[in-house]
Amino acid sequence: MSLPLTKKDLMIVNMGPQHPSMHGVLRLIVTLDGEDVIDCEPILGYLHRGMEKIAENRTIIQYLPYVTRWDYLATMFTEAITVNAPEFLENIQIPQRASYIRVIMLELSRIASHLLWLGPFMADLGAQTPFFYIFRERELIYDLFEAATGMRMMHNYFRIGGVAADLPYGWIDKCLDFCDYFLRGVVEYQQLITQNPIFLERVEGVGFISGEEAVNWGLSGPMLRASGIQWDLRKVDPYESYNQFDWKVQWQKEGDSLARYLVRVGEMSESIKIIQQAIEKIPGGPYENLEVRRFKKEKNSEWNDFEYKFLGKKPSPNFELSRQELYVRVEAPKGELGIYLVGDDSLFPWRWKIRPPGFINLQILPQLVKKMKLADIMTILGSIDIIMGEVDR
């Protein structure tokens, strides 16, 4: 790429990995000509923890507490995909009540993730007020999570065949109260932000991605839908009980940072609609398929010896993963979160490959920031919505 150079020597600037607007330990090596960005090279791996290799040396139940550390702002989705993979592999049936509870938890987690995208994104642009507003609603969601799961962020709530515990008494009423309150909060955000002239100057036309480019780069989630592609896995490849609810896919055709903001704000309102319908229709019955606890348990394991069964600590139920392979995906707040699982007739997965949306979406960053100003890097990077836990794994 040939750009007119105003100086003989270009400046190479290191952004991150400690910069607060990097949203984690992302490092950008930026080549500048004055304020103009000539080149940008993302450096990854500062948060690599070997999550895939750990999975291949643990049973699914043992691995569940680890997975919330991928995307620690949308923890329910990482749990969902971790239990969905063996459920699909072994064709395990889930009680209808458990499926509805999962949908409610997933949509609450989607709202919490979008809120903690919105606040820092606005702070990157210089608007501090929304950063404090979003914590007000997010704390209410975490109160609901704490009441149902016992934990605010790292829940360990999903199980193969259902969920760990039923919803406590009074939880559904509290959740409905939150839904009514939050719809007013979304209107407040829109009034405060959407028509703000300074905000529009910073985001309109910045970081443009065409629909064809978005598909070619493999983008997903709001990054894809903001470029005019109406692709939401909850509609095109339904899982859990999403096909029983009435809601609309949020999309925009402009493809810039403003469009990505509008998609995410719209998704929060649609999530509330799904939660309200799920609560209204939630059936009775069991919250876990207890037959799964005896499902294909390894026969001659040392865990079945007298010493372990009657004297030692009771182990978690184990599942033998049959010799098959499959790819499972869910529509996470940041895009398509997938798992490629290969079983090997043993307790441990033979291969556990994570397809994180943030890692794929981040690929397009160098192309978006070229020919832009230095200050636009924060806008564009913020609009992509990355979490380094899942990018580096």
Side-chain angles (χ1 to χ4, degrees), residues 13 16 21 33 60 111-112 163 168 193 279 296 307 316 333 371 381:
V13 178
S21 291
D33 176 25
I60 301 295
I111 294 169
V163 292
I193 298 169
I279 286 176
K296 287 195 75 174
E307 189 178 333
S316 302
K371 300 188 182 178
L381 181 65

Side-chain angles (χ1 to χ4, degrees), residues 12-24:
I12 297 177
V13 178
N14 210 24
M15 292 184 73
Q18 276 81 30
H19 195 288
S21 291
M22 289 292 109
H23 303 286

